[in-house]
Amino acid sequence: MIEKIRKRDGRLVLFEKKKIAEAIFKSAQDVGGHDRKEAERLADKVAFFLNENFKNKIPSVEDVQDAVEKVLIEEG
């Protein structure tokens, strides 16, 4: 399970799925979205993807952003 991510400045911080859900929700709001549960579902998919693809590795912020983009594209 992903526990930490590497920030752009090299620091390691705790991985917080809720931050991903919040970022997805805020982006959706910018285009008229309002479904927080959907944002949480998508964040779950992002966390699953990261857990599958970063076993024994610490993902960077960019890796997390790429995972979010991948999930959003797949989900339409």
Side-chain angles (χ1 to χ4, degrees), residues 10-68:
R11 288 180 299 130
L12 295 179
V13 297
L14 290 178
F15 173 76
E16 296 182 60
K17 186 176 63 174
K18 67 182 178 182
K19 286 186 176 183
I20 295 170
E22 190 62 27
I24 292 170
F25 181 67
K26 285 180 180 180
S27 292
Q29 282 183 312
D30 288 344
V31 294
H34 58 275
D35 190 348
R36 187 173 293 275
K37 290 287 183 198
E38 179 68 3
E40 291 170 4
R41 184 186 73 79
L42 292 168
D44 286 339
K45 290 190 86 139
V46 171
F48 179 81
F49 175 84
L50 292 169
N51 283 318
E52 290 296 307
N53 291 280
F54 288 89
K55 292 179 180 171
N56 303 318
K57 290 191 245 177
I58 297 174
S60 67
V61 169
E62 290 83 4
D63 294 324
V64 174
Q65 289 172 333
D66 290 348
V68 169

